Structure formats: C-alpha cells, structure tokens
Amino acid sequence: MKITVVCGNGLGSSLMMEMSIKSILKDLSVNAEVDHVDLGSAKGTPSDIYVGTRDIAEQLNSQAVNGTVVSLDNMIDKVAMKEKLSVALRELGAL
C-alpha cells in the first residue's frame, strides 16, 4: 500500500499532512508507505491513494491519476482526515 500526499510545491503542507497520516495509519494498524510530492510529480508517482486539499484533489482528478483520490476540506482536521482515509482504505481492502 502506497499513499502519496500532494500539494502545490511538495514542501510544507504535504509534509504536515504526511505526518498526520502516518499517525492515523499507526492508530488504525495499517502498514503503508507514505510520501509527499508536488502536484507536477503526482501523475508520475504510482500510488494506491493520493491525498490533497480540495483544490489539489480536483487537479489530481483532472489529471486522471491511477489511484483513489482523497479530498480534504481542512488539512489540519485529523478527525475528518481519518474518516476520509478510512473510507479509501476500506475500499481498497486494507482496513
């Protein structure tokens, strides 16, 4: 299982979301590789799940990335992040 967190430049916000996702995965007892990239690199980064804020998720969908796209309304809301990530993990049979 690979999860890629995407933001505009692949620096600050995606790194912050990556750390939250790693914590959530630990709570859920799910083993996954988590990395972060910029939007331009996302299409060339094979992944099972792509996570980004709403605007980034829309762009990922328009790029037709080959994976499940999780759209976050608020990148610091760990409760909502866990809920949305759990749905994607269930769909993929990882939870």
Side-chain angles (χ1 to χ4, degrees):
M1 171 72 53
K2 181 168 181 186
I3 300 173
T4 300
V5 186
V6 184
C7 73
N9 293 320
L11 299 170
S13 57
S14 60
L15 178 59
M16 188 171 69
M17 288 187 287
E18 177 185 347
M19 293 186 312
S20 294
I21 289 170
K22 285 180 177 179
S23 172
I24 290 167
L25 292 173
K26 186 176 180 181
D27 290 345
L28 296 173
S29 299
V30 173
N31 187 21
E33 176 186 342
V34 184
D35 201 2
H36 63 278
V37 299
D38 64 282
L39 183 60
S41 302
K43 177 88 173 164
T45 305
S47 196
D48 299 297
I49 299 173
Y50 295 88
V51 180
T53 55
R54 189 178 326 125
D55 59 323
I56 295 292
E58 289 172 3
Q59 293 179 56
L60 289 169
N61 284 323
S62 70
Q63 289 181 16
V65 293
N66 191 17
T68 301
V69 176
V70 174
S71 175
L72 303 175
D73 296 321
N74 181 343
M75 69 180 193
I76 59 174
D77 183 351
K78 282 183 72 173
V79 172
M81 187 183 293
K82 184 175 183 177
E83 289 172 6
K84 291 185 177 201
L85 192 56
S86 293
V87 169
L89 290 168
R90 277 190 209 93
E91 288 175 357
L92 295 172
L95 187 63

